[in-house]
Amino acid sequence: MGRFDLGVLALTPDGQGRASGRLNLHDTAQLLEFTVNVLAADGTYTITGETTLDYRDWGLKVIRKAGLIKVAPEVNVRFKLVGTLPEGK
């Protein structure tokens, strides 16, 4: 199980920006920084972003298939979050 704790979200007026925070995986926390895009329409916010992680930074071993083929430790992560603010906010 993993958890991301957002530290800083810096946006320009057009919704482009950078996010940074800590990603906790395998009982290890690492600082991450990546680009995001925030779109607001009719009270709904859509946040998208993408980054590349090296899973060895969290103490995980390189994955091998059939003991011969090594899986690249760099993993490309893309996300999309959609939500609304609670009433009164």
Side-chain angles (χ1 to χ4, degrees), residues 37-80:
N37 184 38
V38 178
L39 177 65
D42 300 325
T44 299
Y45 293 85
T46 303
I47 304 170
T48 56
E50 182 174 356
T51 192
T52 300
L53 308 175
D54 185 331
Y55 60 74
R56 296 173 297 182
D57 292 341
W58 283 269
L60 300 172
K61 295 180 181 179
V62 174
I63 300 168
R64 296 188 184 274
K65 291 187 176 186
L68 301 172
I69 301 169
K70 183 170 112 175
V71 176
E74 294 84 22
V75 179
N76 189 36
V77 178
R78 289 183 282 173
F79 63 89
K80 179 179 181 178

